[in-house]
Amino acid sequence: HKDSTCDEHGYDKSICDICGATISTTELPYKHDYVATVTGKAATCTETGLTDGVKCSVCGEILTAQEVIPALGHAYDATVITEPTCTTDGVKTFTCKNCGDTYTEAIPAKGHTWGDWTVIKEATQTEAGQKRRECSACDAFETLPIPMLPTIAIRNFQSNRKLDYRTTITFAAEVTNPADGGEIHWFVDSKDMGTGDTYTMKEAKKNFTVQAKYMKDGKVLAESETETVTVKTGFFDKLIAFFRALFRKLPVLTQEYLGIKCILP
C-alpha cells in the first residue's frame, strides 16, 4: 500500500503470501487536504461581502473561489416623532434595524379643513355683511365681508310729473353696488320694455308709470321708486302739440315746396 499525495497516485497491491508475486494493483486517487484557508466577510447594508475560499493546504489548489455577497441595503422602520398640524410640519424618523443608520423627514402640514360659510351679519343696501367659516381640526377661523346690496334709482326722479302731449322723454337709471352679470330692466305700466342704462318714451300720448329694476338671472336685486307720468291730453294740449310739430316741419316744407330758404328758431 502507498498513500496518494496531491500530485501522485497511491496504490494498493495484492501479493502472494507464498511467492511474493503481485497479484493485482489498485490505483488510488490524488489526495488533497482542502481547508477554508481564505476567510470571507459578511455583507453590510452599504458594503459587499465575500464568501470563504477553500483550497488545499498542501499544494494550494483552489477548490472553491471567493464570491461577492451583494450589499444588504438598509431596512428602515419609520417612527413619527411630531404629528403635523394644520399649519406646521411634523417630523418622522427612519432607523435601519440592521445597522442603526437614521435620518429624519418632514411630514407636510395638513392644511385647514374648512367648513361651510355661515352668514353672521346680513348685508343691506347701506351696510356690508359678514360671513365666517371654521376649521374642524383646530381653532382657526376666517371671515369675509359680504358686499352691500345693490340699489337703483331713476336720476332726476319726479313723482307725478306732467308732460305735454306727444312729448319724448328719456329716463336714466343709476346703480350702486352693482353685481356681476346684473342688468337694468325698464318697466312701463308693469311691462318689461327691455334693458339698458336709459329708456326713451317717444311722443307720449297717455298717462304711464315707469320703474327701473336691477336684475340678474331673472331675480330682482333692487328696484327704483315708480314714477307716475301724467300726459296733458286736453283739446288745447293736443292743438298746441299739433302746431308745435307743424312749426318744426315748416322750414323743411318751405324749402321743398316753395323753393325758398326760411330760417326759423
Side-chain angles (χ1 to χ4, degrees), residues 64-83:
T64 305
Q66 285 186 299
E67 294 182 357
V68 175
I69 303 171
L72 302 176
H74 292 297
Y76 288 110
D77 288 328
T79 303
V80 176
I81 304 301
T82 305
E83 292 285 352

Side-chain angles (χ1 to χ4, degrees), residues 211-259:
Q211 184 183 33
K213 295 184 180 182
Y214 190 57
M215 302 177 66
K216 178 180 179 180
D217 300 329
K219 179 181 178 181
V220 177
L221 304 181
E223 55 185 45
S224 72
E225 293 184 63
T226 300
E227 182 164 355
T228 301
V229 181
T230 301
V231 178
K232 300 175 183 178
T233 58
F235 172 77
F236 288 105
D237 297 311
K238 293 181 179 180
L239 187 61
I240 293 171
F242 170 78
F243 282 107
R244 185 185 298 116
L246 180 63
F247 290 151
R248 282 198 298 268
K249 295 178 181 179
L250 186 57
V252 177
L253 294 173
T254 303
Q255 190 172 3
E256 289 184 356
Y257 297 105
L258 301 181

Side-chain angles (χ1 to χ4, degrees), residues 177-239:
N177 307 319
D180 291 339
E183 292 182 312
I184 298 173
H185 286 248
W186 292 93
F187 287 80
V188 176
D189 292 336
S190 300
K191 182 180 179 181
D192 193 340
M193 304 301 291
T195 61
D197 293 337
T198 62
Y199 171 75
T200 299
M201 171 64 76
K202 296 181 178 180
E203 297 192 1
K205 297 178 181 179
K206 64 177 182 177
N207 299 342
F208 63 93
T209 61
V210 62
Q211 184 183 33
K213 295 184 180 182
Y214 190 57
M215 302 177 66
K216 178 180 179 180
D217 300 329
K219 179 181 178 181
V220 177
L221 304 181
E223 55 185 45
S224 72
E225 293 184 63
T226 300
E227 182 164 355
T228 301
V229 181
T230 301
V231 178
K232 300 175 183 178
T233 58
F235 172 77
F236 288 105
D237 297 311
K238 293 181 179 180
L239 187 61

Side-chain angles (χ1 to χ4, degrees), residues 9 22 58 81 106 147 153 170 209 223:
H9 291 289
T22 299
V58 178
I81 304 301
T170 297
T209 61
E223 55 185 45

